[in-house]
């Protein structure tokens, strides 16, 4: 419970001798010959001889210069007592809990009243770089190296880059900036923040948490596949190189770069494809979603190991996860650089680069390309997942989140572009090997682009074991960053919403959350688990997230108000957002998002995986999964209006009136009395 600030005014009727006596007594207490006094914990610094300078107003910043030379600064350590101030003279404690220290200087006594709180101070990042790497690690994920290349591949290569960049400039980056600013100003997670913006939209926070759980159910399974490949790579000959294994069929066609007599037909399957489908996934044992089959114990152990790493990385908060990302966020760039150099030296690599960069302008007339571009930029940058709100809430109040938004979003888009070269040089190499066109190389777009095509290309390279180990280790680290961030968004939201219950039980709450995510992932570990992953990817995240982002930008721009939001940013950063950002928040972003949602509803995607076409009932199931998260928004609106007091008009007015955040950044109030 926050304690109220207390203003104390004291009238002194003392003569000069008494003041001099008190000054001598005060000097004995603080060190005798010292001209100034500085408290150890940095809360209050007293400079002597400045009493006659008169009264001045406080200045903003980490330290505040007040009337007669006193400098106040924000507490740096949670161990510091809330009311300790080493000042000469008397000390007054008021009923509000503030501690005032009076220092007689000449004829003027200054009272410094500190605002105190019974709540534990909010955790902060150890370093600014911890925050930046965490955001970059969250934004640069499997979506860049796994999802972006195959979506670009599906939509005609270079033609996809134009809608992707347009959606990034007018949709992704403005929303990325908006969420960082909101989280940093209000210092709250995705649930409790809505009472400061528009209380009736609080259901958005609960919807975000449900979407994050759905992502955790299938996203970590892909890392389990990568871990399986990583463990299988520690041998002289990679197991997906030959056709003599127990899982191979008669259609398996083994070829290397020197095997010019080997013919490749449409019925042929590569060793890498059979290793992925028949050994890792074992999809041949499941007829479809209606009969998933048993759980693969190998994948279950891999996923258990992944979740163990996740738990011990986030259980203590951002101070531990901020250290882990120094490895998980930087190592993938080293691997991408190595793979790019290796891919550029492969025969036929230029064919893939041409396919990647040469646009097919006719594709731009298809709504599918624009829908995929929007979904990709939102899935990659991550507005609407609550992560940016959570990460920014641990920043200092005056941190330049505008610069952070531009830097991290630019790094994300450039990484996607770079990873496209890494993947397409290998696709050109595979097309050269098979004497096929680039667009015919990968029959099944999706994770198979990495786990089949890229794995097969690695197997045909010299030093195949080395490249395989670093590649799949990179995939795991990219996925871990996003998992850290996604779960931290849920944890921060729940801890801020229920602080009295969960604040001191963070480790147990994180353990319970990780266990729920593991149990929810069991369906993706079955023989038909790849079908479940595809279903979740198509329906549980994309449409639901875009709908949530649409409601979020409407609530902030139209209900909270763009002017009020821009004033908040000016208070934090010292400058007012430009016209471009205001127009994007008010009009352009909602229009783009609404177009995507309508297009998705009008043209539902045809979902298939390998040779399995998802039956019509799976479309209804997918919509139910997506609606199950979104339903929190209207449900909470009804709940709020029914439980509020007053007439319907009063309830409605209260539901859209934000609760002020309070003077939570002003730690001291100084008053002078003569």
């Amino acid at each position: 419970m926050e304690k109220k600030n207390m203003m104390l005014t004291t009238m002194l009727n003392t003569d000069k001798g008494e003041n001099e006596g008190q000054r001598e007594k005060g000097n004995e207490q603080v060190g005798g010959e010292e001209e100034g006094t500085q408290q150890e914990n940095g809360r209050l610094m007293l400079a002597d001889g400045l009493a006659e300078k008169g009264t001045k107003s406080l200045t903003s910043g980490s330290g505040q210069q007040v009337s007669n030379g006193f400098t106040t600064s924000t507490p740096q350590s949670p161990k510091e007592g809330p009311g300790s101030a080493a000042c000469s003279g008397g000390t007054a404690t008021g009923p509000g809990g503030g501690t005032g220290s009076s220092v007689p200087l000449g004829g003027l006594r200054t009272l410094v009243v500190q605002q105190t709180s019974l709540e534990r101070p909010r955790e902060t990042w150890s370093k600014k770089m911890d925050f930046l790497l965490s955001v970059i690690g969250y934004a640069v994920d499997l979506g860049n190296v796994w999802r972006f290349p195959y979506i670009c591949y599906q939509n005609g290569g270079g033609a996809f880059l134009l809608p992707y960049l347009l959606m990034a400039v007018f949709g992704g980056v403005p929303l990325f900036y908006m969420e960082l600013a909101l989280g940093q100003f209000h210092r709250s997670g995705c649930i409790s923040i809505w009472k400061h913006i528009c209380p009736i939209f609080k259901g958005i926070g609960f919807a975000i948490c449900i979407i994050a759980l759905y992502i955790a159910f299938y996203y970590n399974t892909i890392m389990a596949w990568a871990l399986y490949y990583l463990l299988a790579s520690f041998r002289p000959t990679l197991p997906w190189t030959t056709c003599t294994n127990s899982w191979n069929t008669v259609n398996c066609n083994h070829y290397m770069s020197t095997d010019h007599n080997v013919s490749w037909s449409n019925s042929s399957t590569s060793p890498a494809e059979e290793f992925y489908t028949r050994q890792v996934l074992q999809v041949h044992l499941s007829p479809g979603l209606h009969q998933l089959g048993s759980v693969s114990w190998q994948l279950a152990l891999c996923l258990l190991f992944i979740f163990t790493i996740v738990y011990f990385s986030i259980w203590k908060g951002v101070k531990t996860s901020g250290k882990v990302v120094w490895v998980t966020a930087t190592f993938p760039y080293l691997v991408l650089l190595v793979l790019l150099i290796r891919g550029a030296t492969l025969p036929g690599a230029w064919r893939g680069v041409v396919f990647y960069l040469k646009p097919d302008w006719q594709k731009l007339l298809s709504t599918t390309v624009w829908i995929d571009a929007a979904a990709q930029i939102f899935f990659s940058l991550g507005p609407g997942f609550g992560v940016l709100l959570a990460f920014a809430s641990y920043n200092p109040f005056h941190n330049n989140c505008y610069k952070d938004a531009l830097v991290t979003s630019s790094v994300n888009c450039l990484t996607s572009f770079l990873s496209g070269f890494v993947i397409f040089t290998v696709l050109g190499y595979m097309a050269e090997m098979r004497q096929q066109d680039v667009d015919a190389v990968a029959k099944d777009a999706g994770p198979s682009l990495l786990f089949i095509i890229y794995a097969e290309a690695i197997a045909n390279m010299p030093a195949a074991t080395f490249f395989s180990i670093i590649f799949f280790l990179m995939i795991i680290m990219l996925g871990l960053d996003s998992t850290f961030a996604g779960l931290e968004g849920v944890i921060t939201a729940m801890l801020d919403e229920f602080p009295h219950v969960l604040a001191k039980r963070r480790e147990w709450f994180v353990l319970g959350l990780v266990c729920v995510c593991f149990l929810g992932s069991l369906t993706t570990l079955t023989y038909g688990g790849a079908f479940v992953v595809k279903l979740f990817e198509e329906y549980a995240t994309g449409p639901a997230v875009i709908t949530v982002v649409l409601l979020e930008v409407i609530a902030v721009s139209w209900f909270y108000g763009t002017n009020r939001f821009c004033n908040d940013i000016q208070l934090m950063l010292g400058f007012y957002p430009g016209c471009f950002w205001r127009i994007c928040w008010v009009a352009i972003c909602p229009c783009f998002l609404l177009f995507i949602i309508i297009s998705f509803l009008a043209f539902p995607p045809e979902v298939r995986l390998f040779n399995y076409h998802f039956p019509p009932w799976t479309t209804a199931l997918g919509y139910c999964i997506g609606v199950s998260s979104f339903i929190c928004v209207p449900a909470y609106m009804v709940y709020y209006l029914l439980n509020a007091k007053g007439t319907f008009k009063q309830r409605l007015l209260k539901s859209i009136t934000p609760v002020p955040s309070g003077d939570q950044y002003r730690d001291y109030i100084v008053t002078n009395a003569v």
Side-chain angles (χ1 to χ4, degrees), residues 325-336 469-470 473-474 477:
V325 294
W326 280 83
V327 176
T328 58
T330 56
F331 179 77
Y333 285 97
L334 178 62
V335 177
L336 282 176
I469 290 173
I470 65 170
L473 191 59
M474 177 192 71
M477 289 191 175

Side-chain angles (χ1 to χ4, degrees), residues 196-232:
H196 304 305
I197 300 174
C198 189
I200 200 171
F201 282 97
K202 191 175 182 179
I204 291 177
F206 294 104
I208 289 173
C209 291
I210 295 176
I211 293 172
L213 287 179
Y214 287 157
I215 294 173
F217 289 167
Y218 79 89
Y219 192 82
N220 297 280
T221 301
I222 300 171
M223 284 188 286
W225 300 344
L227 180 59
Y228 192 101
Y229 269 85
L230 177 64
L231 297 176

Side-chain angles (χ1 to χ4, degrees), residues 217-282:
F217 289 167
Y218 79 89
Y219 192 82
N220 297 280
T221 301
I222 300 171
M223 284 188 286
W225 300 344
L227 180 59
Y228 192 101
Y229 269 85
L230 177 64
L231 297 176
S233 300
F234 288 95
R235 58 187 68 182
T237 303
L238 299 177
W240 56 88
T241 304
T242 63
C243 289
T244 58
N245 303 287
S246 58
W247 58 81
N248 292 125
T249 65
V250 294
N251 292 326
C252 182
N253 221 341
H254 171 247
Y255 66 95
M256 297 290 285
S257 57
T258 55
D259 297 335
H260 299 290
N261 296 326
V262 175
S263 60
W264 184 263
S265 64
N266 292 331
S267 60
S268 298
T269 56
S270 65
E273 181 179 351
E274 294 197 348
F275 177 78
Y276 177 61
T277 59
R278 299 178 62 85
Q279 175 64 11
V280 180
L281 303 181
Q282 303 183 62

Side-chain angles (χ1 to χ4, degrees), residues 323-367:
K323 297 295 181 290
V324 177
V325 294
W326 280 83
V327 176
T328 58
T330 56
F331 179 77
Y333 285 97
L334 178 62
V335 177
L336 282 176
L337 183 61
V338 172
L339 294 176
L340 177 62
I341 295 173
R342 183 68 188 99
T345 60
L346 294 172
W350 64 271
R351 296 177 59 184
V353 174
V354 169
F355 183 83
Y356 178 44
L357 296 180
K358 184 179 180 181
D360 181 4
W361 300 110
Q362 294 296 323
K363 287 281 188 179
L364 299 181
L365 301 177
S366 173
T367 57

Side-chain angles (χ1 to χ4, degrees), residues 178 181-182 556 560-570 585:
M178 183 187 75
L182 284 173
V556 173
Y560 186 70
T562 305
N563 290 335
R564 181 185 295 178
F565 177 52
C566 291
N567 288 333
D568 293 345
I569 294 178
Q570 187 176 29
W585 292 330

Side-chain angles (χ1 to χ4, degrees), residues 47 99-100 117 139 173 254 306 329 343 413 428 446 480 519 525 536 563 571 583 646:
T99 303
S117 173
V173 177
H254 171 247
I306 292 294
C413 294
L480 284 175
L519 294 176
L525 302 175
F536 270 100
N563 290 335
L571 181 64
I583 294 173

